[in-house]
Amino acid sequence: TKILQNGIDLELIRNSCNYGLKRNKVVSLRALTPLYQIERIIESRDKSDNFLGLEFIYPFEDKKYLKKIKSITKKKDRMHGRLEINAMFKLFENTLMAISIPYSDSSPKSVYEALCCGVPVAVNQNEYIETLPEILRNRLILVDLNNSLWLEIALEKAKKISSRPFDINSKKLSVIDRVESIRILGS
Protein backbone atom coordinates (compact mmCIF):
# COMPACT_ATOMS: atom_id res chain seq x y z
CA THR A 1 0.00 0.00 0.00
CA LYS A 2 1.31 3.42 -0.98
CA ILE A 3 0.25 6.49 0.99
CA LEU A 4 -0.31 9.74 -0.89
CA GLN A 5 0.83 12.32 1.64
CA ASN A 6 0.96 15.28 -0.73
CA GLY A 7 -2.46 15.50 -2.29
CA ILE A 8 -3.25 19.12 -3.07
CA ASP A 9 -5.32 19.66 -6.20
CA LEU A 10 -3.35 22.59 -7.62
CA GLU A 11 -5.38 22.61 -10.84
CA LEU A 12 -8.62 23.04 -8.88
CA ILE A 13 -7.04 25.85 -6.85
CA ARG A 14 -5.79 27.57 -10.03
CA ASN A 15 -9.32 27.44 -11.46
CA SER A 16 -11.06 28.42 -8.22
CA CYS A 17 -9.07 31.19 -6.54
CA ASN A 18 -9.08 34.82 -7.55
CA TYR A 19 -5.81 36.19 -6.19
CA GLY A 20 -6.69 39.85 -6.70
CA LEU A 21 -9.50 40.19 -4.16
CA LYS A 22 -9.32 42.30 -1.01
CA ARG A 23 -8.30 40.12 1.90
CA ASN A 24 -9.80 40.98 5.29
CA LYS A 25 -10.80 37.75 7.04
CA VAL A 26 -8.93 35.78 9.70
CA VAL A 27 -9.69 32.07 9.54
CA SER A 28 -9.01 29.21 11.93
CA LEU A 29 -8.92 26.21 9.61
CA ARG A 30 -8.39 23.17 11.83
CA ALA A 31 -10.67 20.80 13.71
CA LEU A 32 -12.34 21.94 16.92
CA THR A 33 -10.55 19.63 19.33
CA PRO A 34 -8.13 20.43 22.18
CA LEU A 35 -5.18 19.35 19.95
CA TYR A 36 -5.63 22.45 17.77
CA GLN A 37 -5.67 24.98 20.65
CA ILE A 38 -8.53 27.04 19.22
CA GLU A 39 -9.11 28.74 22.59
CA ARG A 40 -5.61 30.26 22.38
CA ILE A 41 -6.58 31.98 19.11
CA ILE A 42 -9.62 33.55 20.76
CA GLU A 43 -7.66 34.52 23.90
CA SER A 44 -4.99 36.31 21.85
CA ARG A 45 -7.64 38.05 19.73
CA ASP A 46 -9.35 39.26 22.90
CA LYS A 47 -6.08 40.94 24.03
CA SER A 48 -6.22 43.16 20.95
CA ASP A 49 -8.21 46.41 21.02
CA ASN A 50 -9.28 46.41 17.39
CA PHE A 51 -9.44 43.06 15.71
CA LEU A 52 -11.46 41.46 12.96
CA GLY A 53 -13.99 38.80 13.77
CA LEU A 54 -12.69 35.27 13.49
CA GLU A 55 -14.04 32.71 11.05
CA PHE A 56 -13.90 29.04 12.01
CA ILE A 57 -13.92 26.23 9.49
CA TYR A 58 -13.44 22.73 10.83
CA PRO A 59 -13.79 19.29 9.29
CA PHE A 60 -14.93 17.80 12.60
CA GLU A 61 -15.37 18.76 16.24
CA ASP A 62 -15.31 17.39 19.74
CA LYS A 63 -18.81 18.29 21.00
CA LYS A 64 -17.61 19.27 24.50
CA TYR A 65 -14.80 21.43 23.05
CA LEU A 66 -17.18 23.03 20.53
CA LYS A 67 -19.45 24.07 23.40
CA LYS A 68 -16.45 25.60 25.21
CA ILE A 69 -15.35 27.49 22.08
CA LYS A 70 -18.85 28.80 21.38
CA SER A 71 -19.03 30.11 24.96
CA ILE A 72 -15.99 32.37 24.37
CA THR A 73 -16.64 33.57 20.81
CA LYS A 74 -17.96 37.05 20.05
CA LYS A 75 -20.93 38.15 17.94
CA LYS A 76 -18.63 39.11 15.07
CA ASP A 77 -17.19 35.57 14.89
CA ARG A 78 -18.57 33.01 12.41
CA MET A 79 -18.70 29.25 12.90
CA HIS A 80 -18.82 27.67 9.43
CA GLY A 81 -18.11 24.05 10.32
CA ARG A 82 -17.20 21.78 7.42
CA LEU A 83 -17.15 23.56 4.06
CA GLU A 84 -17.30 22.01 0.61
CA ILE A 85 -13.91 22.48 -1.09
CA ASN A 86 -14.99 25.23 -3.52
CA ALA A 87 -16.70 27.16 -0.71
CA MET A 88 -13.49 26.88 1.33
CA PHE A 89 -11.44 28.23 -1.58
CA LYS A 90 -13.90 31.13 -1.99
CA LEU A 91 -13.43 31.95 1.71
CA PHE A 92 -9.64 31.76 1.27
CA GLU A 93 -9.84 34.33 -1.56
CA ASN A 94 -10.89 36.88 1.05
CA THR A 95 -8.65 35.64 3.85
CA LEU A 96 -5.86 37.87 5.08
CA MET A 97 -4.48 35.21 7.42
CA ALA A 98 -5.28 31.63 8.37
CA ILE A 99 -4.24 30.05 11.67
CA SER A 100 -3.06 26.54 12.57
CA ILE A 101 -1.42 26.11 15.99
CA PRO A 102 -1.78 22.46 17.07
CA TYR A 103 0.33 20.80 19.76
CA SER A 104 1.72 18.55 17.03
CA ASP A 105 1.17 18.11 13.30
CA SER A 106 2.38 16.05 10.37
CA SER A 107 1.27 17.16 6.90
CA PRO A 108 -1.71 19.53 7.20
CA LYS A 109 -3.56 19.56 3.87
CA SER A 110 -5.76 22.53 4.82
CA VAL A 111 -2.65 24.61 5.59
CA TYR A 112 -1.17 23.74 2.19
CA GLU A 113 -4.46 24.59 0.46
CA ALA A 114 -4.66 27.97 2.19
CA LEU A 115 -1.05 28.74 1.25
CA CYS A 116 -1.72 27.80 -2.38
CA CYS A 117 -4.70 30.17 -2.39
CA GLY A 118 -2.20 32.89 -1.47
CA VAL A 119 -3.13 33.04 2.22
CA PRO A 120 -0.37 33.63 4.79
CA VAL A 121 -0.75 31.11 7.62
CA ALA A 122 0.19 31.69 11.26
CA VAL A 123 1.71 28.49 12.63
CA ASN A 124 3.64 27.26 15.64
CA GLN A 125 6.82 25.24 15.18
CA ASN A 126 6.19 21.79 13.68
CA GLU A 127 8.44 19.40 11.77
CA TYR A 128 6.47 19.55 8.49
CA ILE A 129 7.53 23.19 7.99
CA GLU A 130 11.06 22.17 7.04
CA THR A 131 9.76 19.84 4.30
CA LEU A 132 7.87 22.58 2.46
CA PRO A 133 9.28 24.32 -0.59
CA GLU A 134 10.56 27.85 0.07
CA ILE A 135 7.68 29.41 -1.91
CA LEU A 136 5.31 28.09 0.79
CA ARG A 137 7.59 28.54 3.82
CA ASN A 138 7.86 32.24 2.89
CA ARG A 139 4.13 32.60 3.49
CA LEU A 140 4.20 30.98 6.93
CA ILE A 141 4.27 33.18 10.02
CA LEU A 142 5.92 31.42 12.93
CA VAL A 143 4.25 32.57 16.16
CA ASP A 144 5.37 32.58 19.78
CA LEU A 145 2.33 31.39 21.73
CA ASN A 146 3.96 32.60 24.97
CA ASN A 147 3.43 36.20 23.81
CA SER A 148 -0.21 37.06 24.51
CA LEU A 149 -0.24 39.42 21.50
CA TRP A 150 1.02 36.77 19.04
CA LEU A 151 -2.09 37.07 16.88
CA GLU A 152 -1.84 40.83 16.50
CA ILE A 153 1.88 40.53 15.63
CA ALA A 154 1.13 37.78 13.10
CA LEU A 155 -1.61 39.88 11.50
CA GLU A 156 0.85 42.72 10.81
CA LYS A 157 3.22 40.24 9.16
CA ALA A 158 0.33 38.77 7.14
CA LYS A 159 -0.47 42.22 5.72
CA LYS A 160 3.10 42.51 4.41
CA ILE A 161 3.14 38.97 3.03
CA SER A 162 -0.25 39.45 1.33
CA SER A 163 1.09 42.44 -0.56
CA ARG A 164 3.54 40.10 -2.36
CA PRO A 165 2.08 38.11 -5.26
CA PHE A 166 1.90 34.34 -5.01
CA ASP A 167 2.89 32.23 -8.05
CA ILE A 168 0.47 29.31 -8.11
CA ASN A 169 2.16 28.13 -11.32
CA SER A 170 5.60 27.72 -9.74
CA LYS A 171 7.25 24.40 -10.58
CA LYS A 172 8.41 24.27 -6.95
CA LEU A 173 4.84 23.42 -5.92
CA SER A 174 5.02 20.06 -7.71
CA VAL A 175 6.06 18.39 -4.41
CA ILE A 176 2.55 18.94 -3.01
CA ASP A 177 0.59 18.53 -6.25
CA ARG A 178 -1.80 15.56 -6.21
CA VAL A 179 -1.42 14.84 -9.92
CA GLU A 180 2.39 14.95 -9.80
CA SER A 181 2.47 12.76 -6.67
CA ILE A 182 0.25 10.13 -8.35
CA ARG A 183 2.46 10.23 -11.46
CA ILE A 184 5.57 9.62 -9.33
CA LEU A 185 3.89 6.76 -7.43
CA GLY A 186 2.85 5.15 -10.70
CA SER A 187 6.35 5.14 -12.16
Side-chain angles (χ1 to χ4, degrees):
T1 303
K2 294 181 179 179
I3 296 173
L4 182 62
Q5 183 175 10
N6 301 322
I8 307 307
D9 190 339
L10 290 179
E11 189 62 29
L12 179 62
I13 291 173
R14 280 184 199 100
N15 294 328
S16 300
C17 287
N18 179 346
Y19 293 88
L21 297 179
K22 181 170 173 44
R23 295 177 181 267
N24 59 7
K25 297 181 184 298
V26 177
V27 176
S28 168
L29 48 66
R30 304 305 294 276
L32 285 182
T33 70
L35 170 67
Y36 296 104
Q37 304 189 89
I38 306 302
E39 76 281 0
R40 295 191 75 174
I41 298 169
I42 296 168
E43 289 165 2
S44 186
R45 183 276 305 275
D46 290 347
K47 300 278 187 205
S48 176
D49 290 331
N50 55 8
F51 199 74
L52 304 169
L54 298 170
E55 310 244 351
F56 299 89
I57 58 175
Y58 43 98
F60 60 91
E61 74 280 337
D62 170 294
K63 298 293 183 202
K64 186 176 176 184
Y65 192 70
L66 174 63
K67 186 176 179 181
K68 174 184 177 179
I69 294 303
K70 283 185 173 181
S71 75
I72 59 174
T73 57
K74 306 284 187 212
K75 280 187 178 181
K76 57 187 169 183
D77 297 333
R78 289 196 60 202
M79 305 295 281
H80 294 280
R82 177 185 285 273
L83 290 180
E84 188 269 328
I85 190 99
N86 286 318
M88 183 175 72
F89 291 159
K90 289 298 172 199
L91 177 62
F92 287 163
E93 286 181 338
N94 295 277
T95 299
L96 175 60
M97 184 176 75
I99 306 164
S100 173
I101 55 165
Y103 287 114
S104 66
D105 220 341
S106 56
S107 187
K109 184 177 179 185
S110 59
V111 169
Y112 300 166
E113 289 170 331
L115 290 167
C116 289
C117 287
V119 179
V121 181
V123 297
N124 53 336
Q125 185 60 52
N126 274 290
E127 288 181 25
Y128 76 87
I129 293 171
E130 300 308 315
T131 67
L132 291 176
E134 187 177 1
I135 188 172
L136 296 179
R137 277 197 323 268
N138 289 341
R139 298 189 85 78
L140 291 176
I141 303 162
L142 198 57
V143 298
D144 175 6
L145 296 177
N146 294 318
N147 181 338
S148 64
L149 296 176
W150 66 265
L151 191 57
E152 194 168 323
I153 294 165
L155 187 58
E156 289 308 310
K157 291 178 182 179
K159 289 174 184 174
K160 290 177 184 159
I161 292 169
S162 287
S163 70
R164 298 190 309 254
F166 178 73
D167 182 10
I168 185 64
N169 295 309
S170 171
K171 297 284 185 213
K172 295 175 182 172
L173 293 174
S174 65
V175 298
I176 63 164
D177 183 35
R178 177 181 61 87
V179 172
E180 183 64 15
S181 296
I182 291 171
R183 188 189 66 72
I184 292 168
L185 283 174
S187 55

